[in-house]
Amino acid sequence: MRIVMKFGGTSVRDGSNILHCAKLVKRYSNDNEVVVVVSAMAGVTDSLLNVAEKCCEERSHGHIKLFIADMMKRHYEAVEIAVRNEEMKSKVYSTLSSLFDELEKVLLGISYLGELTNRSRDYILSFGERLLAPIFSACLISLGVNSLALTGGDAGIVTDRNFGRAKPLPKSYNLIRSRIEPLIKINRVVPVVTGFIGSTEDGIITTLGRGGSDLTATLIASAIDADEVWLWKEVDGIMTADPKIVPNARVIPEISYQEAMELSHFGAKILHPKALEPVMRKKIPVRIKNTFNPDVEGTVICESTKSSEDIVKALSLIEKVAIVNVSGAGFDFAEIMAKVFRRLANAKVNVIMVAQSSSELNLSIVVEKSDLPKALDALEDLDEDNVKIDRRDDVAVVSAVGAGMAGTPGVAGRIFSALGREGINVVMISQSCSEFNVSFAVKREEGKRAVRVIHEEFKLSK
Ligand code: ASP
Ligand code: MG
């Protein structure tokens, strides 16, 4: 089999975890062609983001040295534990030390300039992955697995110049294939590719958006016609609900691309919302596996699922949202809609869900809470058109997802009757024609209870 495996976050928290993950790769690479994608060590991307912003705001540079020292400590300690071979150890130390040198200079530059552009932010964020890939690769080599560390750009991921949320260009597919295939097929090497980052056509580093290493993995899988993608996480698979909210939630063995996309759009932190696009067309299954419980099957995300009896398959909750309400009377509805959404798009506001009534204009738009100021700003001057804008920032969105909902009458009835019985008031409702999900907003403090009520109503714990 040809498998693209991605490791990230807490799976690669420290040296012993990295060693554990590399041993997993070794185990599967005996009989398979394996490509590894790594993201940064847990928390590193966030720290890089913080330091970048601090450099831009504060003109003093003292904290930069401390930051670099702290990062060095974490990464060098990881090398000590994960890389057993002395020659490899010194090779990887010298790679890391020039990366740290570069990082320190960039941070100093930002602090002298007092300016942080999207482009320089991407450059700084790329260090998390660029530091881990050589460590992971050296660890594999010290375990006797032939390996080579590559950046996203080296691997052929070419993107547009939308720094912070760059989109891979179609030509990436051919490039990736021409660079990765000979390595795995002819040289029998396990490439370790930095997730999350790509490069513009003229070689400038870009990032694919937070959590983007999932997308790196599926992109490569699609380009090399992999048989499967394995996303190694810290959970046994995709669950019927967050077990922190519903203690008897269970793992879903099989879920369709569509259902998984709905879930990740609605806040279930399973995978990057765009990650399934590259593999869907080629019907490459994506497996969610537990790094710390590798023999469990996990969840397979694939073309279609047999279990149409699962009307509602999983529930998700997004707590940090707000509703922007656009209302008024007596004008062209489509005209106002177009204006509103154009403005939100220009302001890069992430719209989560929409509901409207058209008798008179009343458009409710759910956005991330952190996007609320941007959204209100963007819509401010709509006032001249006699439109009223208000907001509610005390809500949460619950989403019930399941392909079996399509064509099954009474699902929405059951959801809302169950909520009614429990005295939970619904603030806003949305269901699209695909009938893959019913989403609704409730008061934030009732969000978790709403999830439990529906989980119980559809007997999701079995
Ligand atoms: N390290 C990046 C992030 O934290 C990418 C990823 O984790 O997939 O967003
Ligand atoms: Mg990360």
Side-chain angles (χ1 to χ4, degrees):
M1 275 217 298
R2 189 172 271 189
I3 313 170
V4 178
M5 294 186 182
K6 180 238 149 176
F7 296 90
T10 30
S11 295
V12 285
R13 182 191 306 132
D14 55 26
S16 63
N17 286 359
I18 294 168
L19 182 59
H20 170 80
C21 292
K23 283 180 178 162
L24 284 174
V25 173
K26 180 181 162 95
R27 173 168 144 195
Y28 293 104
S29 64
N30 285 335
D31 309 317
N32 303 288
E33 289 173 350
V34 175
V35 177
V36 172
V37 171
V38 290
S39 77
M41 284 170 81
V44 166
T45 310
D46 285 331
S47 317
L48 286 165
L49 192 57
N50 288 339
V51 81
E53 261 143 35
K54 200 167 167 191
C55 284
C56 177
E57 282 156 17
E58 291 176 19
R59 311 312 297 268
S60 64
H61 325 298
H63 66 99
I64 296 176
K65 280 241 168 321
L66 290 175
F67 173 80
I68 295 286
D70 186 55
M71 284 294 234
M72 280 181 160
K73 182 164 179 282
R74 266 198 83 178
H75 287 85
Y76 288 163
E77 268 172 16
V79 174
E80 264 327 297
I81 295 169
V83 184
R84 297 302 173 83
N85 168 316
E86 289 307 318
E87 193 193 325
M88 279 321 294
K89 216 184 246 179
S90 66
K91 265 198 186 145
V92 80
Y93 272 136
S94 89
T95 308
L96 296 194
S97 103
S98 55
L99 281 168
F100 281 121
D101 211 40
E102 185 185 332
L103 177 59
E104 186 171 351
K105 285 189 185 127
V106 178
L107 292 176
L108 276 170
I110 299 291
S111 102
Y112 278 113
L113 286 171
E115 182 189 56
L116 181 66
T117 60
N118 289 340
R119 174 173 162 176
S120 44
R121 187 185 293 108
D122 273 7
Y123 183 36
I124 293 171
L125 291 190
S126 75
F127 280 88
E129 276 71 13
R130 285 162 69 206
L131 287 163
L132 183 55
I135 302 179
F136 201 105
S137 180
C139 178
L140 281 173
I141 295 172
S142 69
L143 292 172
V145 179
N146 227 341
S147 174
L148 184 70
L150 301 173
T151 64
D154 296 338
I157 301 176
V158 184
T159 72
D160 62 16
R161 304 176 70 88
N162 185 13
F163 296 100
R165 216 175 276 178
K167 245 173 96 177
L169 301 178
K171 71 196 255 194
S172 298
Y173 290 97
N174 280 334
L175 269 174
I176 295 169
R177 187 169 339 112
S178 68
R179 296 191 183 167
I180 300 288
E181 212 157 49
L183 287 177
I184 53 178
K185 233 168 122 173
I186 302 162
N187 304 345
R188 293 253 151 236
V189 158
V190 174
V192 177
V193 183
T194 59
F196 180 50
I197 60 183
S199 137
T200 62
E201 286 181 281
D202 46 351
I204 299 156
I205 289 180
T206 55
T207 70
L208 310 177
R210 294 304 305 271
S213 357
D214 291 339
L215 178 57
T216 305
T218 53
L219 206 65
I220 293 176
S222 174
I224 62 169
D225 287 312
D227 296 290
E228 289 194 1
V229 177
W230 293 6
L231 303 178
W232 292 93
K233 308 261 160 173
E234 302 75 48
V235 288
D236 280 339
I238 299 177
M239 317 261 317
T240 51
D242 181 346
K244 281 191 228 103
I245 302 172
V246 185
N248 59 4
R250 69 184 165 82
V251 172
I252 303 168
E254 204 175 281
I255 191 166
S256 68
Y257 294 121
Q258 188 71 38
E259 290 168 324
M261 284 207 294
E262 296 282 358
L263 275 175
S264 51
H265 175 74
F266 284 101
K269 293 198 180 59
I270 327 160
L271 74 174
H272 187 277
K274 296 223 172 3
L276 293 174
E277 277 166 21
V279 284
M280 272 170 83
R281 274 173 292 126
K282 294 200 167 170
K283 303 192 173 73
I284 302 171
V286 176
R287 225 175 255 284
I288 311 286
K289 305 249 317 159
N290 190 344
T291 318
F292 304 107
N293 199 4
D295 295 320
V296 168
E297 280 292 304
T299 297
V300 188
I301 308 171
C302 53
E303 166 79 334
S304 75
T305 70
K306 19 186 197 308
S307 39
S308 59
E309 76 269 16
D310 296 330
I311 307 168
V312 171
K313 201 164 207 171
L315 302 168
S316 68
L317 172 70
I318 325 185
E319 293 198 284
K320 290 190 182 139
V321 293
I323 299 178
V324 178
N325 214 47
V326 183
S327 58
F331 23 62
D332 186 341
F333 189 67
E335 196 71 45
I336 294 289
M337 291 267 260
K339 269 195 188 168
V340 166
F341 288 112
R342 172 86 329 238
R343 271 156 214 248
L344 294 178
N346 288 345
K348 302 239 174 329
V349 170
N350 187 13
V351 172
I352 295 169
M353 139 185 167
V354 175
Q356 55 104 127
S357 68
S358 46
S359 55
E360 64 180 73
L361 172 66
N362 195 328
L363 177 63
S364 301
I365 304 164
V366 177
V367 299
E368 275 169 33
K369 202 167 170 224
S370 54
D371 278 352
L372 182 63
K374 267 198 293 184
L376 292 173
D377 250 15
L379 299 180
E380 206 177 35
D381 57 345
L382 272 179
D383 279 347
E384 71 199 40
D385 288 316
N386 242 345
V387 178
K388 200 167 139 247
I389 313 279
D390 4 78
R391 63 163 111 183
R392 265 193 86 151
D393 55 10
D394 61 340
V395 291
V397 166
V398 178
S399 185
V401 171
M405 287 200 277
T408 310
V411 181
R414 273 176 74 188
I415 293 176
F416 296 114
S417 309
L419 294 170
R421 268 198 312 277
E422 295 297 322
I424 299 174
N425 181 42
V426 176
V427 177
M428 171 181 165
I429 301 175
S430 162
Q431 182 194 357
S432 78
C433 293
S434 76
E435 297 183 60
F436 275 131
N437 92 64
V438 172
S439 305
F440 57 90
V442 294
K443 271 195 129 155
R444 183 162 309 129
E445 67 249 31
E446 291 185 330
K448 291 195 172 75
R449 196 156 62 88
V451 170
R452 286 192 282 268
V453 167
I454 301 168
H455 203 272
E456 179 62 35
E457 170 66 27
F458 288 91
K459 310 243 170 322
L460 295 185
S461 31
K462 299 245 160 89

